């Protein structure tokens, strides 16, 4: 069973919060608030910036770090002219994927635990994936890829 875990940046302190996710819906949809319920300090809830909320993929990188939606990862593909890529972890078509765009061509590779995943003639190996940042704190990592 996969661990269901979310993270989001605190609305008032900018610090990453981890736990379960709750959404409070006031009368106006554009004023929706998201709260992270802390795993360690339940029933405490912290208001988070909605755009920063991301779900845990259930996977860890080669260093044992949990991989979340919005993380920026360095991946390695076998049989690719350029074998190392800087990609963003996204939820696409019901699956967690590594995404990058190359010369206007959008490419997604499904992330699986432990096993190689074939994408056309390329394979991503989870044991080579490394979290190097996230889209909220390190957007500069995506420039020039």
């Amino acid at each position: 069973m996969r661990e269901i875990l979310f993270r989001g940046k605190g609305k008032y302190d900018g610090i990453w919060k981890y736990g379960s996710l709750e959404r409070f819906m006031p009368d106006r949809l554009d004023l929706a608030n998201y709260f992270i319920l802390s795993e360690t300090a339940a029933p405490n809830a912290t208001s988070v910036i909605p755009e920063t909320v991301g779900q845990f993929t259930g996977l860890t990188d080669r260093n044992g770090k949990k991989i979340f939606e919005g993380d920026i990862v360095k991946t390695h593909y076998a049989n690719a002219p350029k074998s190392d890529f800087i990609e963003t972890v996204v939820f696409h078509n019901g699956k967690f994927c590594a995404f990058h765009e190359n010369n206007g061509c959008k490419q997604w590779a499904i992330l699986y635990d432990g096993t190689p995943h074939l994408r056309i003639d390329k394979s991503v190996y989870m044991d080579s994936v490394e979290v190097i940042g996230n889209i909220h704190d390190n957007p500069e990592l995506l420039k020039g890829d």
Side-chain angles (χ1 to χ4, degrees), residues 20-34:
S20 60
L21 181 69
E22 293 291 328
R23 183 175 181 186
F24 170 71
M25 287 292 288
D27 294 335
R28 292 181 50 200
L29 291 176
D30 60 331
L31 295 178
N33 290 307
Y34 289 86

Side-chain angles (χ1 to χ4, degrees), residues 59 67 73-80 83-85 87 89 96-100 108-130:
L59 302 170
I67 302 173
V73 294
K74 183 176 183 182
T75 56
H76 177 79
Y77 292 88
N79 304 321
S83 60
D84 291 323
F85 291 90
E87 301 184 291
V89 176
F96 288 107
C97 300
F99 167 80
H100 76 273
W108 293 268
I110 300 168
L111 297 176
Y112 287 108
D113 56 348
T115 58
H117 168 69
L118 296 178
R119 182 179 78 177
I120 307 170
D121 63 341
K122 304 171 185 117
S123 298
V124 61
Y125 295 96
M126 286 306 298
D127 62 355
S128 70
V129 172
E130 181 179 14

